Amino acid sequence: MRIYDIIEKKRDGLKLTKEEIDFFVQEYTKENIEDYQASALLMAIFINGMDEEETVNLTESMARSGNMLDLSAIEGITADKHSTGGVGDKTSLVVAPICASLGIKMAKMSGRGLGHTGGTIDKLESIDGYNTSIDTESFINQVNDIGIALIGQTGNLAPADKKIYALRNSTGTVDSIPLICASIMSKKLALNADCLLLDVKWGSGAFMKTPEDAERLGALMEKVGNAAGKKCRAIITDMNTPLGCCIGNSLEIKEAVELLQGKVKGRLYDICIELTANMLELAGKGTISECTAMAQEAIASGKALDILKKTIEMQGGNGNVCDDTSLLPQAKYSHVIYAPFDVEIVSVNAEELGMASLLLGAGRISKDEEIDYAAGIVLEFELGDKISMDAPLMTLYSDTVSDFSEAALRAYHAVGFRTLTEGALT
Ligand code: URA
């Protein structure tokens, strides 16, 4: 078999066989195929697409390119949750402890943030002492002991994805539904949990810009998961506006803790409950309405917060942040943006706020950049709120950037106002 013939076949819009896909994935992982030929094939896939069978074969081959975890030593139903990435998305920090508090074994490996999107691992590492890189044996033992472990990718899981993703990032081939599906699902299949809940986001802050594309990606990921014998469900959620009011690593831990303390309601709370109820139902815990009530009760009783605290402590972190969020990193510098007139908030661009937060140091543009854990943005409004002139709209924080001019301009322009007539707010 020759990679040249496989490239030509996909270039001409033909369907690749399982053997051809496997040849590409395994040989590229072993560095027997050059980057320029892999790039050509990825671009042909980007342009001509892949059907469902090709995508299943690509995903399974990528999942088999390294170790497949064996979670059979974990007693009970194992579950994993994945978000396709967003701004202010701290739902894993809420959903996983709630599910664990209700008896599901949450074996969760998460990623780091890149660009304007955040990653759960960076958020957890903002907690003093928290260790996200524990070995597979300790991971499995912890899930057995307390029902949950929240760690970064361990072992040699789906190495094909690491290589292919890096190449896609530098060849303009990221935004392809079959390639995104194979990238996400190969890591999930290698992790091998019984149930998988996928939060597929659409909107300005997400990879998928329309709900139709998010539906397409979600349906494809469900099919790939089911083909591998997993219980898999995709929920489509809106990422045009940030989730909750905090963007940035320690700020998002604070908001997740406050939600589990019962202090946060609104869209973030509702999405967390919806995701949790679907995970519980998928794992056979009851109907959606029964599972919704269980999720709400786990927050109200404090059981889910206790589990988060235990998780942090088991992984070497300061669990007291669950009682006192001022123990989280605090920024040296801050800057408040005020409403210029009496205004109604008519739009909020999540991607632009994510970029402003990145400028403050909360994210990274390239993989190896350091993160400022205290940096980020706290919004003082929700979409549709009316704000008086000179009242605060948002506060920007940073430990590393003292000149806020660029980030503040970007954050200000991320908010769409309707100016209210004089006296409308009095
Ligand atoms: N997240 C991934 O892991 N892969 C993609 O291709 C996109 C988002």
Side-chain angles (χ1 to χ4, degrees), residues 274-352:
E274 183 190 353
L275 292 170
T276 309
N278 275 279
M279 179 67 102
L280 295 171
E281 195 215 22
L282 203 57
K285 289 281 177 187
T287 63
I288 282 286
S289 65
E290 287 163 348
C291 293
T292 300
M294 285 190 249
Q296 289 164 336
E297 168 57 20
I299 294 178
S301 65
K303 273 200 307 200
L305 184 65
D306 285 347
I307 291 281
L308 180 64
K309 187 171 181 179
K310 250 193 217 157
T311 313
I312 294 170
E313 286 169 349
M314 282 287 276
Q315 291 185 225
N318 181 359
N320 293 332
V321 297
C322 291
D323 308 309
D324 178 3
T325 55
S326 73
L327 298 171
L328 289 161
Q330 306 290 318
K332 266 204 291 284
Y333 310 109
S334 63
H335 175 88
V336 183
I337 300 180
Y338 297 95
F341 320 102
D342 289 350
V343 293
E344 179 181 352
I345 310 292
V346 293
S347 66
V348 188
N349 185 315
E351 181 167 10
E352 282 301 297

Side-chain angles (χ1 to χ4, degrees), residues 198-262:
L198 299 157
D199 178 7
V200 185
K201 303 211 166 285
W202 73 275
S204 72
F207 280 108
M208 298 293 110
K209 299 300 176 202
T210 65
E212 293 76 22
D213 277 350
E215 293 278 358
R216 228 170 281 139
L217 176 62
L220 191 59
M221 290 200 289
E222 279 183 353
K223 284 189 181 131
V224 168
N226 294 334
K230 306 291 172 200
K231 285 188 171 179
C232 184
R233 181 174 302 164
I235 306 290
I236 312 299
T237 59
D238 180 329
M239 188 31 78
N240 283 296
T241 57
L243 251 188
C245 64
C246 295
I247 304 165
N249 298 290
S250 64
L251 293 168
E252 292 189 42
I253 294 282
K254 175 173 179 283
E255 194 171 27
V257 166
E258 285 171 355
L259 197 156
L260 291 174
Q261 287 171 338

Side-chain angles (χ1 to χ4, degrees), residues 165 168 180 183-184 187 207:
Y165 191 75
R168 285 167 59 211
I180 294 176
S183 167
I184 293 173
K187 289 172 282 204
F207 280 108

